[in-house]
């Protein structure tokens, strides 16, 4: 074969806006608890970094629902930088998330780290999260591309927008068209914030692709005080939703305490976003 010559559109032809002018709307959950993200539907995903106990996740689920969240997050299998840090409660946490969904009706979003757990995720969870560290785990992407379950694809922390869209293309080309993109910041030179939240990527990706794009200001900044302003900036930049780490007692979170906000702070964000959307 000769030298491959692809235009950008050919490279991510299914994720591209070209030929797919309508926004994709991802449908999550079923029946009366169904939630949509994209095409004007704003999704607010909130919950702790990690599921710590059934009591903790049920309590937080009720609190974030009262504060305006439409989906519940909570890490069960945690991708921790150090092997000595809390690794998550694993399968037990999935059943605790199910209890929290039963208590509130909120669909659940949690990270899949290995194909081994995929059958369990298909049975138990509503949205499969592919984390930043696994954005280019092509074996995992191919496995998830073959299932019928919405996927939240986080941007790799040193990935370009094009690489991110090509990872989405893996999901779409395998047959899974229920893909939500999530900007969560990229690595920069300044340790004042945990990452550099690339908000310009929101209008850019919405220009390039029909897929919904949400923002995670928690991992994007690493600081609780920056979560509200960046949430509003994300909404103003056209994001289709937010993913925010919330705990009833942020200081006691077993992971990511510094970037975790209270349900009251989430309620303020919800109020301000509603006001902002009325003025946009
Ligand atoms: C998370 O959302 O739980 C997480 C680990 O985020 P990221 O993959 O963006 O680091
Ligand atoms: Mn976290």
């Amino acid at each position: 074969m000769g030298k491959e010559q692809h235009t950008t559109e050919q490279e991510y032809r299914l994720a591209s806006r070209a030929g797919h002018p309508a926004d994709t709307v991802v449908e999550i959950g079923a029946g009366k608890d169904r939630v949509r993200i994209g095409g004007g539907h704003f999704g607010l995903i909130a919950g702790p970094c990690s599921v710590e106990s059934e009591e903790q996740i049920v309590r937080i689920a009720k609190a974030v629902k009262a504060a305006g969240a439409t989906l519940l997050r909570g890490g069960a299998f945690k991708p921790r930088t150090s092997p000595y840090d809390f690794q998550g409660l694993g399968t037990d946490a999935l059943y605790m998330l199910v209890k929290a969904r039963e208590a509130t009706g909120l669909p659940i979003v949690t990270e899949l780290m290995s194909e081994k757990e995929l059958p369990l995720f298909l049975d138990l969870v509503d949205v499969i999260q592919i984390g930043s560290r696994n954005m280019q785990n092509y074996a995992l992407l191919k496995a998830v591309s073959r299932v019928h379950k919405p996927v939240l694809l986080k941007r790799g922390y040193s990935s370009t927008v094009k690489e991110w869209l090509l990872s989405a293309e893996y999901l779409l080309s395998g047959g899974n068209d229920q893909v939500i993109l999530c900007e969560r910041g990229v690595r920069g030179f300044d340790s004042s914030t945990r990452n550099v939240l690339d908000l310009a990527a929101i209008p850019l990706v919405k220009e390039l692709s029909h897929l919904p794009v949400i923002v995670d200001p928690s991992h994007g900044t690493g600081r609780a005080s920056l979560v509200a302003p960046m949430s509003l900036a994300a909404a103003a930049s056209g994001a289709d939703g937010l993913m925010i780490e919330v705990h009833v007692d942020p200081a006691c979170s077993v992971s990511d305490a510094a970037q975790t906000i209270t349900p009251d702070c989430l309620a303020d964000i919800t109020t301000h976003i509603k006001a902002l959307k009325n003025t946009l």
Side-chain angles (χ1 to χ4, degrees), residues 80-87:
R80 302 308 299 278
T81 303
S82 165
Y84 305 116
D85 286 339
F86 178 64
Q87 301 287 304

Side-chain angles (χ1 to χ4, degrees), residues 49 73 78 194 219 245 255-256 259:
C49 180
R73 65 151 284 142
K78 295 300 300 175
R194 182 173 178 180
H219 295 91
E245 289 188 336
S255 52
D256 286 349
Q259 67 194 35

Side-chain angles (χ1 to χ4, degrees), residues 23-26 36-43 206 210 212-213 238-241 277:
D23 286 346
T24 286
V25 179
V26 174
R36 294 185 173 90
I37 298 184
H41 302 277
F42 193 85
K206 292 190 70 72
H210 53 88
V213 195
D240 296 292
K277 288 199 166 287

Side-chain angles (χ1 to χ4, degrees), residues 12-67:
Y12 51 84
R13 54 180 167 263
L14 298 173
S16 173
R17 180 71 82 179
H20 310 265
D23 286 346
T24 286
V25 179
V26 174
E27 305 229 338
I28 300 157
K32 67 171 177 43
D33 295 327
R34 190 169 56 179
V35 168
R36 294 185 173 90
I37 298 184
H41 302 277
F42 193 85
L44 183 54
I45 308 173
C49 180
S50 300
V51 176
E52 299 167 11
S53 68
E54 184 179 317
E55 195 260 327
Q56 175 248 19
I57 193 67
V58 171
R59 211 168 138 213
I60 293 175
K62 289 178 177 165
V64 298
K65 184 177 181 177

Side-chain angles (χ1 to χ4, degrees), residues 47 62 90 123 125 154 210 260 271 279:
K62 289 178 177 165
D123 275 353
V125 320
K154 295 192 103 178
H210 53 88
T260 298
T271 307
T279 62

